[in-house]
Amino acid sequence: MPQSIRAGSGTRAAIFAPLDGAGRAELVLQRLTDAIVLGVLHDGERLPSEAELARQLGVATVTAREALQILRRNKLVHTKRGRDGGSFVTFAGRGATDLQDERLVAWSRVQVRDLGVHYSAIAGLAAELAADRASAADIENLERILDRADAGTADAARRGQGTFRLEVAALSQSPRLVREELRLQAEFGSLLWLSLRDGSRRERCSAVQRETVAALVAEDGASARQLTVTQITESIEWLIEAKSLLEQKGRSTMTDSTATVNTTAVLPSGTPA
């Protein structure tokens, strides 16, 4: 039985793991942005140097440098010169909602649904295998994780969900499933679990986690898989609805702005708007 993956080390390892299709600054940028917004990389934390970041991610130094420049423009990191210098995370939650909303709007509905299909296949199978392979000690560890979990805020709930899913994946005893779980969390976790902004969804998430543990105890792989797939499906449907609302809001804002401009244009000079 392999040791359970710790989210603190496992997810961070995924953040700095080599990129597939390396060489594109946008891949580096998206991974680091997600890690910062998700809270894997903390406010005030120093990032690896450009050369070290490039080495870890398997990209050219100029690619890492370009990604860091964009992060600085987006006010997610700042760079200090000198002996104690480097690039430091400056994101303390401000603007997280806007960044996540912008990414959701940029995705098509087909992409969002395909993410759900992909993640359901990985996480669902991991849960099914874990029901067959988890030991009593493993179950106790999962229960301790849930007991310590904080669902009071969206960020805390996302971290708790990430930890739980990593632990379940580790109990599948499949290194490939664990690596794919890590990759998906590192690259898409901040988007996938946006539904945890909603307090009722956080309560639902906690309940499903408890039900999943009960299925593992009962060695009921089918139920563990179904619970996992259902939870992911519900999250995807929430994303689709949220995307529609954001798009409507964007159209409304544009319409209001146009109306304001048009109204101002026809007002006689000196007339209060």
Side-chain angles (χ1 to χ4, degrees):
M1 173 67 64
Q3 292 183 348
S4 295
I5 299 294
R6 296 274 85 78
S9 60
T11 306
R12 292 175 68 85
I15 293 298
F16 297 112
L19 286 161
D20 293 331
R24 294 190 295 163
E26 58 265 31
L27 293 178
V28 179
L29 173 66
Q30 192 61 69
R31 181 176 286 187
L32 293 177
T33 297
D34 283 348
I36 292 169
V37 173
L38 194 59
V40 178
L41 298 176
H42 303 289
D43 185 53
E45 181 173 343
R46 180 157 60 180
L47 297 176
S49 67
E50 290 179 355
E52 179 61 19
L53 185 63
R55 185 191 68 78
Q56 291 183 27
L57 295 176
V59 300
T61 302
V62 67
T63 300
R65 181 179 302 124
E66 183 180 346
L68 288 172
Q69 288 172 345
I70 298 173
L71 287 172
R72 282 193 287 272
R73 288 203 298 270
N74 292 343
K75 302 187 185 306
L76 294 179
V77 304
H78 77 283
T79 300
K80 294 195 305 184
R81 305 297 178 185
R83 183 175 181 180
D84 296 323
S87 294
F88 297 84
V89 175
T90 57
F91 184 77
R94 180 177 175 273
T97 299
D98 291 342
L99 283 169
Q100 292 163 338
D101 288 352
E102 287 172 7
R103 189 177 183 196
L104 178 57
V105 169
W107 277 45
S108 70
R109 285 165 177 75
V110 171
Q111 287 176 306
V112 174
R113 292 195 184 281
D114 193 48
L115 169 61
V117 170
H118 185 178
Y119 189 55
S120 292
I122 299 302
L125 180 57
E128 183 175 359
L129 291 174
D132 182 56
R133 299 174 178 180
S135 68
D138 294 325
I139 301 298
E140 290 176 3
N141 184 55
L142 279 177
E143 290 174 338
R144 282 195 296 271
I145 289 172
L146 295 184
D147 290 340
R148 293 195 300 264
D150 175 12
T153 66
D155 287 343
R158 280 198 298 271
R159 286 192 293 271
Q161 174 72 336
T163 300
F164 181 79
R165 289 297 166 200
L166 283 172
E167 292 289 347
V168 172
L171 298 183
S172 73
Q173 299 186 44
S174 168
R176 288 182 181 273
L177 285 177
V178 173
R179 285 197 295 270
E180 188 63 5
E181 173 72 32
L182 285 168
R183 187 186 71 81
L184 288 168
Q185 283 206 33
E187 297 188 13
F188 305 116
S190 62
L191 178 68
L192 181 63
W193 301 118
L194 278 186
S195 62
L196 296 179
R197 291 177 179 176
D198 186 332
S200 63
R201 293 296 307 154
R202 294 198 293 273
E203 291 178 3
R204 168 68 175 157
C205 179
S206 297
V208 170
Q209 288 172 341
R210 295 287 182 184
E211 291 171 13
T212 301
V213 171
L216 299 184
V217 171
E219 299 181 6
D220 186 349
S223 291
R225 182 171 192 156
Q226 187 57 54
L227 284 163
T228 300
V229 171
T230 297
Q231 184 182 32
I232 294 168
T233 300
E234 290 175 354
S235 179
I236 293 298
E237 292 306 316
W238 188 97
L239 285 175
I240 295 294
E241 183 177 356
K243 176 178 170 63
S244 296
L245 292 173
L246 287 169
E247 289 170 341
Q248 291 172 14
K249 180 181 178 182
R251 287 193 293 269
S252 175
T253 300
M254 291 179 63
T255 301
D256 291 345
S257 297
T258 302
T260 299
V261 171
N262 289 341
T263 300
T264 303
V266 299
L267 285 174
S269 178
T271 303

